[in-house]
Amino acid sequence: MAGPQHRSVPGSSGHGHSHGHSHGHGHSHGGFVDDHGNLGDQSFRSAIFFANDGLLASMCLMTGVGAATDFQGVKMFAAGLTSLLSCAIAIASVEWFSVHLRAIKDHEELLIEEDHLMRFPKEEEAHFTDLLLKQGFSEATIKAILSDINNLPEERRHEMSFKMHAHFELGLDPASSGGNNVEAGAAARVSLLYYTLGGLVPLAPWWFVEQASTAMLWALALAALLTCLLAGVIARFTHNAPPSLFARQLATGAACLTMSYAGGEMVEHLLQW
């Protein structure tokens, strides 16, 4: 971590030297830049992680099946593709169901909160005040917030009060918690597409190469390349050091492949009994 540096202070032209200061968390006062680590929206994060999941699952399958059977070439490709598509469909279904249930639950919580605001305004205001106090707001600030809300026109007052209560009590945004299937459908599509694309990368060599050992070497090379690419994207948006992230991703993959190979060998011995 870089030590403190000097920064120039606006309006301090009388000084013969300039000051430059860089905080450890990444803010630079030479001009504000929001450089916090960020993987973008939910769809982008899901695409990265599902592609990585599909890649690792497909490689583990190839390694385990290769150790347990004498499948080669197109036969191995067919086995891998069938398994990949089955897993992708199952994962997409789970994603849709999970996101859909969460959206329904969030919508129900918002309806309950809105009903409480209408029926128990004083109690809800007291609860809201208590929440703000726990967040560190002063009583004077809380009174000013409540006064500003209460001075709004009736419709606007209800909308703002509802938003504030939803945020501080439930951690929800009423504008994005509609309880519909749009978000669930998007989650399912992203998981299906990127899990499949990630898994196809190590499968491709088995379509073109008949010899098992050569196909496996190509699959490992392509998997390592895609793993490093995905790790690079994650490092770019999270400010992690790329070399350490590459090493961690590859080490995780190697451990999974080792266990898959051992499992395949065990299955082979069981089949020979």
Side-chain angles (χ1 to χ4, degrees):
M1 182 181 297
Q5 299 174 350
H6 295 295
R7 66 181 171 99
S8 59
V9 180
S12 59
S13 56
H15 291 285
H17 60 277
S18 62
H19 298 279
H21 179 62
S22 169
H23 292 291
H25 53 66
H27 290 305
S28 172
H29 293 281
F32 176 75
V33 177
D34 186 5
D35 54 359
H36 289 291
N38 180 21
L39 268 177
D41 62 16
Q42 183 63 38
S43 294
F44 181 72
R45 290 194 296 271
S46 296
I48 295 296
F49 295 132
F50 279 117
N52 190 70
D53 287 349
L55 168 67
L56 188 56
S58 192
M59 272 306 306
C60 287
L61 174 71
M62 296 294 96
T63 304
V65 172
T69 69
D70 58 354
F71 285 1
Q72 297 189 54
V74 176
K75 187 179 290 187
M76 179 70 90
F77 178 84
L81 183 60
T82 301
S83 177
L84 175 65
L85 293 178
S86 299
C87 290
I89 292 170
I91 288 173
S93 301
V94 171
E95 276 293 297
W96 183 91
F97 193 63
S98 174
V99 175
H100 179 63
L101 285 183
R102 188 191 67 201
I104 291 176
K105 180 61 177 175
D106 289 348
H107 185 59
E108 289 176 350
E109 291 293 327
L110 289 171
L111 290 177
I112 292 172
E113 185 63 28
E114 189 172 25
D115 178 64
H116 284 184
L117 283 171
M118 298 293 292
R119 295 169 56 200
F120 313 109
K122 295 298 183 183
E123 292 84 349
E124 282 292 335
E125 184 174 299
H127 186 208
F128 181 65
T129 300
D130 185 55
L131 287 174
L132 292 183
L133 285 171
K134 290 179 179 178
Q135 291 290 329
F137 289 88
S138 67
E139 291 188 9
T141 300
I142 296 171
K143 288 179 180 179
I145 292 173
L146 293 175
S147 176
D148 286 346
I149 293 176
N150 290 330
N151 288 332
L152 292 171
E154 183 176 356
E155 183 177 343
R156 178 63 177 155
R157 181 173 68 246
H158 175 73
E159 178 187 355
M160 181 57 66
S161 180
F162 181 43
K163 284 183 177 180
M164 295 287 283
H165 280 256
H167 175 74
F168 283 98
E169 290 189 39
L170 306 175
L172 298 175
D173 179 8
S176 61
S177 301
N180 54 50
N181 293 330
V182 175
E183 187 180 353
R189 287 192 298 272
V190 167
S191 61
L192 178 65
L193 175 62
Y194 287 95
Y195 186 92
T196 303
L197 289 177
L200 282 175
V201 170
L203 270 180
W206 297 93
W207 177 261
F208 299 102
V209 180
E210 182 66 27
Q211 188 177 3
S213 59
T214 305
M216 181 59 76
L217 287 175
W218 274 104
L220 287 170
L222 290 174
L225 181 62
L226 181 56
T227 297
C228 289
L229 177 63
L230 293 173
V233 173
I234 295 172
R236 168 65 179 83
F237 286 97
T238 61
H239 303 316
N240 280 307
S244 63
L245 196 56
F246 292 161
R248 188 169 63 208
Q249 291 283 92
L250 291 174
T252 301
C256 292
L257 295 183
T258 301
M259 289 186 284
S260 298
Y261 183 82
E265 287 286 316
M266 187 182 302
V267 170
E268 181 187 24
H269 291 309
L270 289 174
L271 293 176
Q272 291 175 354
W273 279 8

